[in-house]
Amino acid sequence: DFPGDTSCKAAGDASEACVTSEGVQLITSAMTMGDTTGATNDVTPMGCSSAHTAGDRTFRIDVPALTSLAMNLTANFDTASVLFNATCAGVPLQCSDPLNMNLVNLAAGTYYYVVDGYSNGVGPFTIQMDGKIANNASCESPLVAGGALSCGNGYACKGAVGAKTCAPALCSDGIDNDSPPDGKADYPADPGC
């Protein structure tokens, strides 16, 4: 822990896994803002362009199993971004230059997203995150409450607290959910759907 652990820049850091001068920020909502001005160049990702030599910022995301994940970056400087697995090192899962990163079939776990500047580009930026949770996977992540993750089409977050999953929605679950039952189930047969 901070201050004994030199990989912790503050007591509120979200991770000890990454080598970063500024600490790691946890993403919990669909939109996260940051700024690389004054940041240290800690990351030059293997397998990506070696020209990412400006300051960078590191973010942690904890996700359930996802069918898709879009990480879109808005900035007024030349950026690059990378996504690392839980080790926060080695060859990234994906590098993105330009601003949009799209992944499919991402396993549940912890990932690290780094916003970097190309050459000497620095400045403020906004990360927009949008993902679809795999059917029957947990939907209790803070990222669901923050609007960044949702269940796929025809599925809804259902179940008891502590066991909520993306399950078939009422209008696609094969059951006549009307009370009293009207003998019709699901869209488009049930006029209530």
Side-chain angles (χ1 to χ4, degrees), residues 107-176:
T110 296
Y111 296 89
Y112 294 94
Y113 181 74
V114 178
V115 176
D116 202 348
Y118 184 81
S119 184
N120 60 357
V122 296
F125 59 86
T126 301
I127 302 166
Q128 292 181 314
M129 181 176 170
D130 182 36
K132 294 295 180 192
I133 302 170
N135 297 345
N136 305 310
S138 173
C139 55
E140 294 192 285
S141 164
L143 290 167
V144 175
L149 301 179
S150 61
C151 295
N153 293 339
Y155 282 72
C157 189
K158 296 166 56 174
V161 173
K164 289 185 176 185
T165 62
C166 287
L170 292 179
C171 287
S172 65
D173 63 2
I175 300 171
D176 180 359

Side-chain angles (χ1 to χ4, degrees), residues 51-71:
H52 304 150
T53 55
D56 47 62
R57 295 287 181 164
T58 302
F59 298 85
R60 175 180 168 166
I61 57 173
D62 297 314
V63 298
L66 301 176
T67 58
S68 66
L69 177 64
M71 301 292 287

Side-chain angles (χ1 to χ4, degrees), residues 42-58:
D42 297 306
V43 178
T44 303
M46 294 176 6
C48 302
S49 167
S50 61
H52 304 150
T53 55
D56 47 62
R57 295 287 181 164
T58 302

